[in-house]
Amino acid sequence: MSYQPPRLNHVFISDRLKQQLVEIKKYPITTVIAPMGFGKTTALNWWAKQMTKKYEDSVIIRQMIVSDSLGDFWTGFCRAFKEEPDLAEKLKELGFPKDATSMALFSELIRDALSGIKGHIYYILDDLHLLRQESLTSLLMMFSGSMPEYAHIILISRNQIFTDEEKMRLGSLLFEIRTEDLRLSRNEISSYAKHCGLEISKDELDELSLLTEGWISMIYLNFKSYVQNGTWLSKSSDILTLIDEVLLKPLPLRHRKFLILIGMADEFTPEQAAYLWGQSDWRELLDSLTKNNAFITKEDNGVYRYHYMLSLCVRRKFAQKPDKYKKDSYSRLGAWYFKQEEYLPAYYAYACGTDWKGLLKVLERDKGESLNAEHSKDFFGWMRDCPEEILLTNPVAIIVCMVKMFSYNNIAEIKRLKKLLLKALDQNPKLTLQERNNLLGDAEVAESFLCYNDLSAMCAHHKRACALLNRTTISVDKTEAWTFSAPSVLMMYHRRVGYADSENAEMKGCMPYYYKIFDGHGAGSEHSFAADLHYERGQITDADISNRMALSAAKQKNQYSIMVCCGFLSMRMALLDGDYDKIKKLGDELRDLLYKERQYTLLNTLDMCLGFIYALLGYPDKAPVWMAEGKLTEALVMFPATPMLNTFYNHLLLAKGEWTEVIARKEDCLKLYSIYPSILCEIRLHIQLSAAFLKLDRRMEALTELKTALDLALPDRIITPFAESEEYISELLEELKNKGVYSAEITKIMVLAVKFREARQNIGKDYFGEDKDYGLTNRELKIARLAAQRKTNTEIAIELKLAQGTVRNHLSRVYDKLGISGDGKNKRLALESILKVDE
């Protein structure tokens, strides 16, 4: 028989492990957890190939984690679904889900996209230990619950993934493959040797088993060493030293240089390897290295990856190269990513090579869009380290930096960059006068954001920009939300008591300049401001006209954030008309539009609007869950919208009867509302505080707060916030009126309040069954409804000003009349069910 050389690169999977891998198909989630080098990835790759051979309709989706970055993870996640391009694009638009709304949308997108696939779907996420982000665990659990029953998630990590509590919640849904399942026994090492074509003695097998402790990477390196020089490796050496001795040092010098150079990249294609090496023998070198090294794998998509241990080893070697070689190599890597329009890795490659010209070139092309909040620290570092003389040669990049610094709230850096821009323009004689003016115009736009909420100051910048620019500005993306996800233009920009009419005039005078340089960004906003103002003054017809004008202008320029503002005002007007069907229709149509147009950042804005509507109606339990539960900090709304979010949440608290919580939030809310002054938020806060104090029998404080609200509102003839809150403050308004305080204005408020009360009551009767008494008295019905909202007897007693014993007796009669029996908790649940079913 002819001699057969050892087959060291042939994959070996023990029979015991094969039996474990078969179980994956039975579970929604599988975790494969073991230290580095135990063959986790190799085992799953082997298993995946077996699955696709045995079941041709199986779908394998792979993703490798390469950094501790949620942004990088999400980019890779979207890319993993490239065979479902529509899903991949929607996921890219959504961004990493960080709140309840985006989580729910993520779940829906996954479920809808994958439900049509017939075979089993397996999503393999490898090297999860590199991403140390707690929010990812929640996403993975949501992901597993969103996928069809024939879909499976396989997570590979060196560290534990789920906590004990999470494992308990997953229960029988989770299958675990552990270190001991991957560790080779003495007999399995013997089988591995035979599989590779090696003959080893019993003593050598005993020595190898003791030396490696079943660690397959160590076994492979020993086999490699044994074939090369007939000796086993020392147990005392660390694994990277062994990799160097066995895999790198025996290589010809040219092969070794190639291996170290290409290891700069986390993964690479043949074309990328050819570009980085820059010489004609790249194919020969790549084929030779992959054929003789099990630590380099080629995926089905043609992408190559080094095993993590090999990557660590070659990067150590690369770090020892001369500085010029490293800089040139990183610059070449950056240039490759730039050509492929992979801007995020291009930034980092150029930064590693301190190639600031290259980095600014990426910034100019990308406009900073690939950089998000988690990259801010690195971005600040780049701009700090980039020599001033290089920045001065690229004024366009300076403009992009100014805009990016605003999104990162780095005001000092914006001012520094403006000075640099002026200096750059003075030092650049090649620029034409118009080119200089365009850059100055862009800078004016960037600086205008520093004056957010101050219409006069912003308008001055925009007028100067308009005079300078002969094109639209590069400082703003027209597709971004003009309102910064706020639900009302008036709430954004009404900042001075008694100046609402002046602000309205400024909006109408300023926006034509803005539209000219922004190509219609925010179209309809001046009409939306006017519509809101009319409505807050109780001028319903004028509000309707202006709102329709705003909606028409917004539709022409696809300004979805303005459309949401228009929809919100339309819902408030429909509430005043007692038309709940219209409220529902408007909300549903808006949600469908935002889904269709992938305006996912505005979904939370719509939730804010609906939460406020249900608070006004007195049904806080129907508000979006994240709002009702007060998860405000988790919501993906931009900072300018947070005052409105907190205002609407306060009204939900009133509707839930949480009076002390409203009062406790006073100082935080006042501080928030003062950052970018919002008079309407302040007005509503004082109304809400007045209502809460009254419910707690602190009447003088309630009157003081209400008087403060009136002082802020009436100089601008704003009355609707008081009418919308009539159920809480009507008796206080009457008291102030009788004392001669704003008597004429309060009379107008009460006329509107009556209309609002009737509309709310009609909606309650027609749509929520409030006219049904279930055979209960009025007092019993009130107590029953509060009990159904899971309020305790004590809370009900306080709210209705009754003794606890009276509440208990009334509830006992309610249970008897409705035929409810059982223990206290089950009685409450049954009561809640009866009332909710009828609603």
Side-chain angles (χ1 to χ4, degrees):
M1 181 181 291
S2 61
Y3 169 73
Q4 295 292 325
R7 304 176 300 276
L8 299 186
N9 283 3
H10 283 209
V11 174
F12 173 77
I13 307 294
S14 70
D15 290 339
R16 182 168 51 87
L17 180 56
K18 287 177 183 178
Q19 292 174 5
Q20 292 289 86
L21 294 171
V22 167
E23 298 295 307
I24 291 175
K25 189 177 180 181
K26 302 176 183 177
Y27 295 85
I29 303 181
T30 296
T31 57
V32 184
I33 299 174
M36 178 174 64
F38 267 82
K40 303 181 293 292
T41 301
T42 300
L44 266 297
N45 286 342
W46 174 87
W47 167 83
K49 288 179 181 178
Q50 301 305 309
M51 291 300 298
T52 52
K53 283 181 183 178
K54 189 173 181 180
Y55 306 100
E56 292 183 358
D57 58 354
S58 292
V59 177
I60 308 291
I61 301 169
R62 289 185 177 88
Q63 181 181 355
M64 181 80 73
I65 301 293
V66 296
S67 70
D68 185 22
S69 162
L70 285 177
D72 289 351
F73 163 76
W74 194 249
T75 299
F77 185 81
C78 297
R79 191 184 298 130
F81 288 92
K82 62 182 180 298
E83 299 302 323
E84 299 286 335
D86 186 57
L87 172 63
E89 189 60 31
K90 287 178 179 177
L91 291 172
K92 186 177 178 182
E93 292 283 351
L94 175 65
F96 183 86
K98 294 181 180 178
D99 64 357
T101 300
S102 55
M103 282 275 198
L105 178 55
F106 167 74
S107 176
E108 185 176 327
L109 290 175
I110 291 292
R111 188 169 53 249
D112 290 349
L114 302 184
S115 58
I117 297 177
K118 296 180 179 178
H120 280 255
I121 306 166
Y122 300 93
Y123 168 66
I124 304 173
L125 183 59
D126 203 347
D127 278 347
L128 188 55
H129 53 272
L130 294 178
L131 189 56
R132 299 179 294 275
Q133 304 280 352
E134 292 182 6
S135 54
L136 184 59
T137 306
S138 300
L139 180 71
L140 292 171
M141 295 185 74
M142 169 72 80
F143 186 27
S144 67
S146 307
M147 296 177 77
E149 60 182 17
Y150 46 83
H152 316 267
I153 299 176
I154 303 153
L155 307 173
I156 306 174
S157 175
R158 291 185 215 156
N159 306 326
Q160 287 298 319
I161 299 169
F162 298 115
T163 63
D164 290 341
E165 180 186 347
E166 288 166 341
K167 286 182 182 181
M168 286 182 64
R169 280 162 48 198
L170 288 168
S172 61
L173 302 177
L174 176 65
F175 178 59
E176 298 179 90
I177 296 177
R178 302 178 176 87
T179 303
E180 291 309 311
D181 299 312
L182 293 154
R183 190 189 304 279
L184 298 186
S185 67
R186 181 184 180 283
N187 290 337
E188 287 167 343
I189 295 174
S190 177
S191 299
Y192 182 18
K194 292 176 183 177
H195 179 78
C196 293
L198 286 175
E199 293 185 10
I200 57 177
S201 68
K202 180 179 178 297
D203 290 341
E204 288 174 324
L205 183 59
D206 290 338
E207 181 184 352
L208 191 58
S209 178
L210 181 65
L211 179 71
T212 64
E213 298 180 351
W215 186 10
I216 196 167
S217 292
M218 184 68 86
I219 297 169
Y220 168 78
L221 290 173
N222 270 275
F223 283 177
K224 193 89 172 172
S225 173
Y226 189 73
V227 169
Q228 289 173 354
N229 53 41
T231 61
W232 303 120
L233 297 169
S234 168
K235 186 178 181 179
S236 62
S237 298
D238 69 86
I239 189 70
L240 297 184
T241 301
L242 297 179
I243 289 175
D244 185 24
E245 290 179 3
V246 176
L247 299 184
L248 270 71
K249 285 183 179 178
L251 290 174
L253 179 61
R254 195 164 181 79
H255 287 65
R256 191 159 64 245
K257 283 184 176 179
F258 180 88
L259 188 70
I260 293 170
L261 174 68
I262 307 303
M264 286 189 301
D266 294 312
E267 57 185 32
F268 59 91
T269 62
E271 295 78 14
Q272 185 176 350
Y275 182 85
L276 293 176
W277 184 242
Q279 299 179 56
S280 60
D281 61 344
W282 68 271
R283 172 65 73 183
E284 174 189 340
L285 293 170
L286 181 60
D287 288 346
S288 173
L289 287 168
T290 54
K291 180 180 178 182
N292 296 298
N293 193 330
F295 283 73
I296 304 174
T297 58
K298 180 182 179 182
E299 304 294 336
D300 294 338
N301 59 3
V303 173
Y304 291 83
R305 289 192 179 91
Y306 288 6
H307 188 283
Y308 184 71
M309 292 188 295
L310 176 61
S311 179
L312 284 178
C313 186
V314 298
R315 289 183 181 183
R316 280 187 182 181
K317 296 289 185 184
F318 183 81
Q320 297 167 9
K321 296 286 185 183
D323 286 345
K324 185 178 186 307
Y325 177 84
K326 289 186 289 187
K327 289 181 178 181
D328 291 346
S329 299
Y330 275 124
S331 291
R332 196 164 180 80
L333 180 61
W336 168 262
Y337 287 131
F338 183 78
K339 284 175 61 178
Q340 306 306 310
E341 298 183 359
E342 295 183 33
Y343 297 127
L344 187 60
Y347 282 119
Y348 280 93
Y350 279 130
C352 285
T354 61
D355 184 347
W356 305 115
K357 290 181 179 179
L359 189 143
L360 294 180
K361 180 176 66 174
V362 181
L363 192 62
E364 183 177 343
R365 171 83 66 84
D366 179 47
K367 302 292 188 294
E369 291 178 9
S370 299
L371 301 171
N372 55 41
E374 69 178 348
H375 305 120
S376 60
K377 187 176 180 180
D378 292 331
F379 182 68
F380 296 157
W382 300 337
M383 293 303 102
R384 181 189 63 246
D385 296 339
C386 179
E388 184 176 299
E389 59 269 22
I390 293 178
L391 266 174
L392 292 173
T393 64
N394 199 326
V396 175
I398 294 176
I399 296 293
V400 175
C401 287
M402 290 178 69
V403 176
K404 204 65 194 175
M405 290 298 176
F406 173 75
S407 69
Y408 292 146
N409 197 32
N410 192 335
I411 307 305
E413 189 66 3
I414 295 176
K415 294 177 179 178
R416 181 184 81 89
L417 289 167
K418 175 63 183 296
K419 292 178 181 177
L420 273 182
L421 176 66
L422 296 176
K423 188 175 179 180
L425 296 180
D426 287 341
Q427 295 181 4
N428 196 330
K430 294 182 180 179
L431 291 173
T432 67
L433 177 61
Q434 189 56 62
E435 287 173 334
R436 293 166 63 86
N437 285 343
N438 282 338
L439 290 168
L440 286 170
D442 289 327
E444 289 286 350
V445 172
E447 285 185 290
S448 73
F449 294 119
L450 300 181
C451 309
Y452 167 73
N453 179 253
D454 186 338
L455 285 170
S456 297
M458 293 185 78
C459 188
H461 281 293
H462 296 155
K463 284 181 178 179
R464 288 195 291 270
C466 199
L468 290 164
L469 290 161
N470 72 343
R471 55 162 171 76
T472 56
T473 182
I474 64 172
S475 297
V476 170
D477 183 354
K478 179 186 171 184
T479 62
E480 292 182 350
W482 185 89
T483 62
F484 298 104
S485 70
S488 164
V489 179
L490 181 66
M491 294 182 83
M492 292 172 68
Y493 286 104
H494 176 38
R495 70 194 308 267
R496 294 180 67 190
V497 175
Y499 283 81
D501 286 321
S502 298
E503 292 162 344
N504 192 20
E506 280 185 312
M507 280 290 294
K508 290 178 179 176
C510 183
M511 290 314 294
Y513 294 98
Y514 183 91
Y515 295 150
K516 184 176 179 181
I517 57 176
F518 288 88
D519 190 25
H521 184 231
S525 54
E526 74 275 34
H527 300 304
S528 184
F529 185 103
D532 285 346
L533 183 56
H534 284 309
Y535 187 76
E536 300 296 1
R537 289 172 168 173
Q539 300 162 347
I540 310 306
T541 301
D542 290 334
D544 190 25
I545 293 170
S546 294
N547 201 43
R548 291 174 186 271
M549 292 170 67
L551 183 60
S552 175
K555 284 182 175 179
Q556 290 178 37
K557 291 292 185 176
N558 294 323
Q559 293 301 294
Y560 301 104
S561 65
I562 302 299
M563 294 182 206
V564 172
C565 292
C566 295
F568 178 42
L569 182 55
S570 294
M571 282 188 255
R572 292 174 70 192
M573 289 191 287
L575 194 161
L576 191 59
D577 287 337
D579 191 345
Y580 184 70
D581 283 334
K582 188 173 182 180
I583 294 173
K584 287 284 292 178
K585 184 172 183 287
L586 286 165
D588 292 343
E589 287 177 348
L590 264 178
R591 192 171 298 279
D592 290 344
L593 175 68
L594 298 178
Y595 273 118
K596 178 184 175 184
E597 301 298 335
R598 301 177 185 176
Q599 298 294 311
Y600 302 132
T601 57
L602 292 172
L603 287 170
N604 277 330
T605 309
L606 178 57
D607 276 354
M608 288 165 57
C609 300
L610 292 172
F612 183 64
I613 292 293
Y614 283 116
L616 291 179
L617 287 171
Y619 295 100
D621 57 311
K622 293 190 175 298
V625 174
W626 67 269
M627 264 194 85
E629 294 179 352
K631 297 179 179 178
L632 308 190
T633 57
E634 298 177 16
L636 294 177
V637 298
M638 297 178 220
F639 183 76
T642 53
M644 298 79 166
L645 173 59
N646 281 269
T647 297
F648 294 173
Y649 177 62
N650 284 343
H651 223 86
L652 273 174
L653 291 174
L654 285 184
K656 293 196 288 185
E658 297 185 19
W659 323 120
T660 55
E661 179 64 14
V662 173
I663 295 169
R665 287 168 48 81
K666 176 180 178 178
E667 295 305 320
D668 287 342
C669 287
L670 284 174
K671 183 178 179 180
L672 176 64
Y673 301 166
S674 67
I675 297 173
Y676 297 124
S678 177
I679 299 302
L680 276 169
C681 288
E682 285 192 55
I683 291 168
R684 288 195 179 274
L685 175 62
H686 290 295
I687 292 172
Q688 291 156 353
L689 290 167
S690 176
F693 279 126
L694 181 62
K695 290 292 185 180
L696 296 173
D697 288 330
R698 293 164 65 171
R699 195 174 191 85
M700 290 306 297
E701 289 165 286
L703 285 167
T704 300
E705 292 291 350
L706 186 56
K707 174 65 166 50
T708 301
L710 290 165
D711 291 342
L712 292 171
L714 295 182
D716 292 298
R717 293 175 284 144
I718 291 172
I719 62 174
T720 299
F722 302 93
E724 288 179 330
S725 304
E726 56 80 26
E727 66 174 311
Y728 303 109
I729 61 171
S730 57
E731 64 179 88
L732 295 175
L733 286 168
E734 287 289 354
E735 182 174 339
L736 289 175
K737 177 184 173 184
N738 293 335
K739 291 179 178 179
V741 179
Y742 294 123
S743 298
E745 292 85 352
I746 290 176
T747 298
K748 292 179 182 179
I749 291 172
M750 297 310 294
V751 170
L752 187 60
V754 169
K755 185 176 180 182
F756 181 82
R757 183 190 312 127
E758 290 174 350
R760 186 167 55 82
Q761 289 173 348
N762 288 336
I763 289 174
K765 291 176 182 178
D766 295 342
Y767 298 96
F768 297 101
E770 286 191 358
D771 57 337
K772 297 182 182 180
D773 60 17
Y774 307 94
L776 305 176
T777 66
N778 287 336
R779 173 62 57 81
E780 288 168 349
L781 188 58
K782 280 185 180 180
I783 291 173
R785 290 192 183 282
L786 291 172
Q789 293 174 23
R790 303 188 182 183
K791 292 183 181 290
T792 65
N793 288 356
T794 302
E795 290 170 330
I796 296 171
I798 292 171
E799 183 164 344
L800 298 181
K801 300 177 181 178
L802 299 172
Q804 288 191 47
T806 303
V807 172
R808 187 167 54 250
N809 293 335
H810 278 300
L811 271 177
S812 179
R813 286 195 291 272
V814 167
Y815 295 143
D816 288 340
K817 288 182 179 182
L818 297 180
I820 297 173
S821 59
D823 58 32
K825 181 180 179 181
N826 288 329
K827 284 182 178 180
R828 293 281 181 125
L829 292 173
L831 180 61
E832 182 181 348
S833 176
I834 289 172
L835 296 182
K836 283 194 173 182
V837 166
D838 284 331
E839 286 175 11

